[in-house]
Amino acid sequence: MIAVIGDIHGCYHTLENLYGKISSYTSEIYSVGDLIDRGRHSKAVVQFCIDKNISPVRGNHEEMMVKSLDKHPSESPFGINLSFDMWQVNGGLETIRSYGDYDEYDPLKNFEYKLKEAGHHEFLMNLPLMIEIESIVITHAGIADGIHGDSVLWNRRPPKKLRQFQVFGHSPIIDAYYVENHFINIDAGCVYGRKLTAAVINPKTKEVLHIISEPLNEKDR
């Protein structure tokens, strides 16, 4: 059995509680990405994933962070890092602050230093777009017709019927949406005041054995 956790978005205390529930079923745990941003405890979430050997795919929020760090201001119009501006207003500011004080003179350089100091830089910069385990394929936003490469980070189209069973998040819903032998969306909108959800799945048969949720912990508000 494997377990896959939905979008976490810095909700460390909720993640810790959910992990306590799913670890009784399996030690092989994955994540659909979006570990960071919006919530206040992104640094703690990343460290928890490293400590517990949770294997995430890259989410669109990790992608925004990576592009911010890769893009030099001189490559942008008027020397402005547009990728960084986009990331900050989409929850990146909370991630930066979780790693320490915001440096208003050079926030990105300071953040990169803090990321490396924490031992998180290589982990976050090298998250895969996709993880395949037997008959299961995990992406952040799902594979649909016409979706290729890093489009799986942003997809909003209905998931394509594949030979494999798709597990993804990205588009928040009230409860996990499960279609047998096709897909499950496990983004239950934790950071928006709802819950963090995980699916326990048999990777050979594609069967979802358990859907486990944890309400947003007050410490994560």
Side-chain angles (χ1 to χ4, degrees), residues 118-192:
H120 297 176
H121 184 269
E122 185 174 351
F123 178 79
L124 288 170
M125 297 294 281
N126 292 292
L127 294 177
L129 291 176
M130 179 186 301
I131 294 175
E132 298 177 87
I133 311 106
E134 297 186 59
S135 294
I136 308 296
V137 57
I138 304 166
T139 61
H140 178 61
I143 301 166
D145 286 322
I147 295 298
H148 305 285
D150 61 8
S151 298
V152 297
L153 301 171
W154 304 93
N155 175 47
R156 300 285 187 188
R157 299 179 189 176
K160 184 178 181 180
K161 188 72 168 71
L162 304 175
R163 177 186 59 81
Q164 298 152 300
F165 181 75
Q166 292 205 53
V167 185
F168 58 88
H170 182 57
S171 297
I173 49 180
I174 300 299
D175 288 299
Y177 184 25
Y178 171 42
V179 178
E180 190 175 357
N181 289 318
H182 188 180
F183 72 88
I184 186 168
N185 176 354
I186 51 173
D187 181 5
C190 180
V191 77
Y192 302 112

Side-chain angles (χ1 to χ4, degrees), residues 34-151:
D34 278 7
L35 310 178
I36 63 171
D37 295 354
R38 303 198 191 284
R40 295 186 294 118
H41 307 292
S42 290
K43 180 181 179 181
V45 166
V46 174
Q47 188 61 53
F48 189 87
C49 290
I50 293 170
D51 291 343
K52 301 298 184 182
N53 293 314
I54 296 171
S55 301
V57 293
R58 181 181 294 194
N60 64 303
H61 282 263
E62 284 84 30
E63 175 75 355
M64 286 188 282
M65 183 208 76
V66 168
K67 284 191 172 180
S68 296
L69 294 173
D70 282 348
K71 190 77 170 177
H72 193 277
S74 65
E75 299 172 17
S76 303
F78 311 109
I80 298 170
N81 188 332
L82 300 178
S83 297
F84 183 44
D85 290 346
M86 178 183 174
W87 178 47
Q88 284 192 98
V89 300
N90 281 282
L93 188 56
E94 286 78 7
T95 297
I96 293 168
R97 285 177 170 156
S98 78
Y99 280 85
D101 293 333
Y102 185 89
D103 184 340
E104 60 184 58
Y105 295 104
D106 200 342
L108 195 55
K109 184 177 181 180
N110 184 63
F111 169 71
E112 187 168 29
Y113 171 79
K114 294 286 187 180
L115 206 61
K116 290 178 178 178
E117 185 179 51
H120 297 176
H121 184 269
E122 185 174 351
F123 178 79
L124 288 170
M125 297 294 281
N126 292 292
L127 294 177
L129 291 176
M130 179 186 301
I131 294 175
E132 298 177 87
I133 311 106
E134 297 186 59
S135 294
I136 308 296
V137 57
I138 304 166
T139 61
H140 178 61
I143 301 166
D145 286 322
I147 295 298
H148 305 285
D150 61 8
S151 298

